Amino acid sequence: SASLAGGILSRAEVKKVLAQQFRDIDQVTNDGGTATVGLTMYPVYANMGGTIKPYVYQNAGDWAWFGGRMVSALVKYNLIEEARKALKPMVDRVVEHGMFYEWWSVLNGQPKGSKNFRGSAGVLTKAIRDLQAANITLMVFKSESVADIE
């Protein structure tokens, strides 16, 4: 997401990167997990001993802190529908759990780390505002309730 945020890539290159991210997300889903564009790396590093185990923390954890930046970068590239698609699952889980967790397990979709992670709150808020600035209304659908985020 840093190369996107910095404007280094062309729009075509951004679409290629995003397509690979969505393929990775689909693979996680096909394997029974859940992920967003906040997926830190994939495929996961194997367990090499030590503290960084597969699917833990930044070894294929899912971080809104990264995903929100990706959404803001997509808006900069005028990839609005892609940005909405990328943002929605991150906002959905905040609504569902009522907190801005630090990261999420892709194995079971459960929140991990700090439940008041300001980094997540900040980048998701910025991503929503970036979409609003592009005159897009983000609708969050959970169960039978619909809420506008403004």
Side-chain angles (χ1 to χ4, degrees):
S1 66
S3 57
L4 275 73
I8 295 170
L9 302 178
S10 70
R11 192 168 192 268
E13 290 170 321
V14 170
K15 286 181 140 187
K16 187 174 180 179
V17 167
L18 186 61
Q20 181 60 55
Q21 280 190 298
F22 282 127
R23 282 192 297 275
D24 291 345
I25 291 166
D26 288 343
Q27 183 61 52
V28 168
T29 303
N30 291 339
D31 290 343
T34 179
T36 73
V37 295
L39 181 64
T40 53
M41 67 170 83
Y42 195 82
V44 64
Y45 282 114
N47 190 355
M48 297 178 276
T51 59
I52 302 298
K53 296 182 179 10
Y55 300 101
V56 175
Y57 204 62
Q58 291 190 5
N59 189 6
D62 190 345
W63 293 66
W65 192 52
F66 297 119
R69 286 178 170 80
M70 179 68 169
V71 170
S72 290
L74 292 172
V75 172
K76 278 186 183 180
Y77 281 91
N78 200 32
L79 295 169
I80 303 305
E81 286 307 311
E82 293 87 341
R84 286 181 53 165
K85 178 182 177 186
L87 181 60
K88 187 178 181 321
M90 290 184 283
V91 172
D92 283 351
R93 64 186 179 196
V94 168
V95 171
E96 179 180 346
H97 292 273
M99 303 299 271
F100 290 93
Y101 282 89
E102 186 175 1
W103 65 283
W104 301 79
S105 169
V106 300
L107 296 176
N108 60 20
Q110 292 302 303
K112 301 289 183 180
S114 170
K115 62 183 176 181
N116 293 312
F117 189 58
R118 289 176 176 88
S120 291
V123 298
L124 290 177
T125 299
K126 183 180 183 318
I128 290 166
R129 289 183 177 161
D130 290 345
L131 279 166
Q132 287 174 330
N135 294 316
I136 301 298
T137 300
L138 176 67
M139 299 296 289
V140 179
F141 297 98
K142 284 311 266 182
S143 302
E144 297 189 26
S145 65
V146 177
D148 270 327
I149 296 180
E150 303 207 14

